[in-house]
Amino acid sequence: MVNYEFWFVVGSQLLYGEEVLKTVAERAEEMAQHLSKKLPFPVKYKVTAKSSDEINEVIKEANYRDECAGIITWCHTFSPSKMWINGLAALQKPWCHFATQYNREIPNEEIDMDFMNLNQAAHGDREHGFIGARLRSARKIIAGYWQDEDVQERLASWMKAAAGVAFSKNMRVMRFGDNMRDVAVTEGDKVEAQKKFGWQVNTWATGDLVREMSLVTEAEIDALMDEYKASYDIATDNIDAIRYQAKEEIAMEKMLKREKCMAFSNTFQDLYGMEQLPGLASQHLMSKGYGYGGEGDWKVSALTSVMKFMGKDSNGASAFMEDYTYHLVPGSEYSLGAHMLEVCPSLAEGKPRIETHHLGIGMNEKDPARLVFEGKAGSAIVVSLIDMGGRFRLIIQDIECVKPIMEMPNLPVARVMWKAMPDLRTGLECWICAGGAHHTVLSYDVTAEQMTDWARMMDIECVHITKDTTVEALERDLLVNDLVWKLK
Ligand code: MN
């Protein structure tokens, strides 16, 4: 895993003389060191840029260095923007324009023209902002004082989204079998996905997995069983079914590691040579950060892994989800999300139980073991990535997860219950209007702003359904988007 960092590039020019430039460089270093202590990734001060050549050099290096996940620019003084054009036009990494100022206050007694010439971010950042607008650059603009916590939180949030871009560029997805027959929304252009997101999506035969399973040893299964026992309550006598899931998990993880894949998909229609659809196996792999998509849905699988990475070191709760059924009682309207088996235990409130039940769908010879639990309460988002033909659209919806309002004792799968924004009916109409899938990534961790930032950096369409969204406004936005993306 690459240890990502962000480069701090400070704009200036030669007009001010040595003394001012020395002060700018010292302060930039001080700010980078301070921010590094507060932010999830180090900020490395690289250069006080005074010429086109210096800017070209630092941007060429940023593009080339794997550890550089993005650049943060700021203009302590005035930095004429024509010297930024060639560099910024070549920039291939995420860019944040940090509009800040070294000093918090205007010093009443001290301020004179020398002070003004040294501390003119208000002036310099506007010139710098113009060239970003003129170049139509996909930049993030964050304004505020660099020592303020809320400003640092916004920088941290953007950094995680930018790291998600870097992670995405290395994403490889292992598909066992093709998509579920006849399903449209899980399809997509894999060539375009690689061009936009960097995702390498390829297929492996189920037979390859079955052969790999035949090589798994009893000792390997015993070791994973110990891990299951430590993490979950075993609520079945059918230990053989759990051991079979362990064998599936070990075989899949070996193949994923061998091929450097961080996400996988499979389908219940293609289990030839296997006794059970991987349930517990897929769930435990997801808890380790692997993305998963059911029914061959490689888009949601890759996106799950990217969002898990973006939330790394926070609560980490991002998971493959499916809208299943509604509770349409007036005043108590909820969506119930689940999947046939595969819900990630990172969403669980309390300790998940391992259960075995009959599964009628697919070619299951034996009852598959799976984790059963209730999802946590709290604010979250659901995100869907669809292929509109010629472009991808990311749809984000704000939701409020609740403790399930009933026990559902005969439901043999993990379940999450939520209120969609702005309300179930409007939210549903908006979601359907935008073409959002039944498969989503649900996250208590990654925010709508981060996913919007990610979509901007990836240069894809993005819509966000919030508590304020109306169907009329959304329809208008989608119509405009359609025109815009045809012109792009
Ligand atoms: Mn599904």
Side-chain angles (χ1 to χ4, degrees):
M1 186 66 72
V2 181
N3 290 316
Y4 293 118
E5 60 188 37
F6 288 78
W7 288 6
F8 195 31
V9 178
V10 179
S12 191
Q13 60 178 323
L14 290 165
L15 187 70
Y16 304 107
E18 280 299 311
E19 205 51 42
V20 165
L21 291 172
K22 196 166 154 269
T23 306
V24 170
E26 281 166 9
R27 288 177 173 183
E29 181 63 47
E30 180 197 337
M31 290 164 75
Q33 285 186 19
H34 177 84
L35 290 170
S36 293
K37 285 186 214 128
K38 307 281 179 179
L39 298 174
F41 299 94
V43 177
K44 293 256 169 87
Y45 165 63
K46 292 303 278 191
V47 66
T48 299
K50 304 164 289 292
S51 69
S52 183
D53 287 347
E54 278 176 320
I55 293 163
N56 289 346
E57 277 312 305
V58 73
I59 286 180
K60 271 196 289 186
E61 204 189 338
N63 286 340
Y64 174 76
R65 303 294 295 206
D66 285 342
E67 69 272 22
C68 176
I71 64 163
I72 300 169
T73 60
W74 166 57
C75 294
H76 192 313
T77 59
F78 193 77
S79 180
S81 272
K82 281 191 189 170
M83 63 187 208
W84 287 80
I85 293 174
N86 294 17
L88 288 176
L91 179 64
Q92 292 167 4
K93 294 285 172 81
W95 170 24
C96 173
H97 179 172
F98 188 27
T100 189
Q101 183 169 279
Y102 179 76
N103 53 303
R104 186 193 288 276
E105 293 169 24
I106 295 172
N108 180 36
E109 297 291 335
E110 189 193 329
I111 190 163
D112 57 12
M113 272 328 284
D114 285 344
F115 181 95
M116 294 273 272
N117 282 328
L118 175 62
N119 299 284
Q120 54 172 318
H123 183 184
D125 275 330
R126 279 172 168 73
E127 167 73 356
H128 196 54
F130 164 74
I131 208 64
R134 176 68 178 79
L135 296 173
R136 276 77 171 166
S137 298
R139 67 213 155 126
K140 174 75 173 180
I141 302 160
I142 297 176
Y145 191 56
W146 55 286
Q147 291 185 20
D148 285 348
E149 215 168 278
D150 59 333
V151 174
Q152 290 169 358
E153 269 168 25
R154 293 196 66 217
L155 267 174
S157 155
W158 172 80
M159 280 178 156
K160 288 180 173 186
V165 170
F167 182 80
S168 183
K169 299 284 180 189
N170 292 310
M171 169 67 64
R172 294 169 196 216
V173 185
M174 181 170 279
R175 310 183 71 211
F176 295 109
D178 205 328
N179 292 49
M180 179 180 166
R181 282 187 285 278
D182 295 324
V183 176
V185 76
T186 60
E187 291 284 356
D189 182 340
K190 297 197 275 293
V191 175
E192 186 67 15
Q194 187 163 349
K195 183 178 154 222
K196 281 285 177 193
F197 309 122
W199 299 349
Q200 301 174 52
V201 184
N202 287 296
T203 189
W204 275 260
T206 308
D208 290 336
L209 176 56
V210 171
R211 189 184 52 216
E212 192 71 47
M213 283 168 61
S214 74
L215 303 174
V216 174
T217 66
E218 291 301 307
E220 287 173 307
I221 295 174
D222 289 341
L224 186 52
M225 287 294 286
D226 288 343
E227 220 176 293
Y228 289 164
K229 280 174 206 156
S231 310
Y232 313 123
D233 287 332
I234 295 183
T236 174
D237 296 331
N238 190 352
I239 302 302
D240 283 349
I242 305 176
R243 292 185 69 87
Y244 192 82
Q245 290 283 335
K247 187 194 282 192
E248 290 179 325
E249 176 176 339
I250 292 160
M252 284 194 286
E253 190 163 23
K254 281 182 186 172
M255 291 180 71
L256 290 163
K257 282 193 167 145
R258 197 179 300 144
E259 301 294 340
K260 300 192 178 78
C261 293
M262 275 311 292
F264 67 105
S265 66
N266 57 17
T267 167
F268 63 87
Q269 285 172 335
D270 190 353
L271 298 177
Y272 194 82
M274 296 166 77
E275 293 175 4
Q276 304 175 22
L277 175 66
L280 170 61
S282 296
Q283 291 173 294
H284 195 245
L285 282 173
M286 283 188 266
S287 74
K288 296 182 204 171
Y290 289 102
Y292 172 78
E295 294 87 58
D297 192 341
W298 52 269
K299 297 198 301 298
V300 81
S301 175
L303 192 62
T304 302
S305 183
V306 169
M307 289 174 66
K308 277 177 178 291
F309 180 78
M310 281 163 65
K312 206 167 66 74
D313 302 326
S314 41
N315 70 39
S318 299
F320 168 60
M321 184 50 61
E322 180 169 286
D323 292 74
Y324 238 110
T325 194
Y326 300 123
H327 190 63
L328 289 170
V329 175
S332 170
E333 293 165 305
Y334 297 99
S335 294
L336 181 67
H339 205 255
M340 218 183 296
L341 301 173
E342 311 89 343
V343 183
C344 176
S346 67
L347 305 187
E349 177 70 54
K351 203 173 185 183
R353 296 182 307 281
I354 300 177
E355 299 182 8
T356 51
H357 299 276
H358 175 66
L359 177 62
I361 295 174
M363 304 183 291
N364 293 281
E365 292 170 29
K366 302 254 174 83
D367 294 353
R370 80 289 305 274
L371 294 169
V372 180
F373 55 85
E374 283 186 354
K376 291 182 265 215
S379 298
I381 54 170
V382 282
V383 184
S384 171
L385 180 65
I386 58 169
D387 186 337
M388 290 297 289
R391 73 176 189 276
F392 288 103
R393 172 183 287 165
L394 192 76
I395 302 152
I396 308 162
Q397 183 166 36
D398 297 336
I399 62 170
E400 188 66 33
C401 295
V402 299
K403 179 177 168 50
I405 59 166
M406 54 194 86
E407 302 228 322
M408 301 173 277
N410 292 312
L411 184 65
V413 290
R415 70 293 301 266
V416 184
M417 197 172 253
W418 66 81
K419 266 182 202 291
M421 296 295 142
D423 58 73
L424 194 147
R425 278 181 297 167
T426 313
L428 172 58
E429 285 172 15
C430 287
W431 190 266
I432 286 175
C433 186
H438 53 286
H439 284 170
T440 60
V441 185
L442 183 151
S443 183
Y444 296 89
D445 180 0
V446 178
T447 64
E449 182 177 0
Q450 284 177 307
M451 289 316 294
T452 306
D453 288 346
W454 185 82
R456 188 189 306 110
M457 293 184 259
M458 288 301 192
D459 190 29
I460 62 164
E461 184 192 356
C462 180
V463 292
H464 180 196
I465 303 165
T466 72
K467 64 176 177 35
D468 301 318
T469 305
T470 63
V471 178
E472 292 79 3
L474 183 77
E475 273 181 327
R476 236 176 4 249
D477 285 348
L478 293 173
L479 185 67
V480 172
N481 287 359
D482 237 353
L483 288 170
V484 169
W485 286 91
K486 271 173 193 142
L487 294 172
K488 270 202 167 202

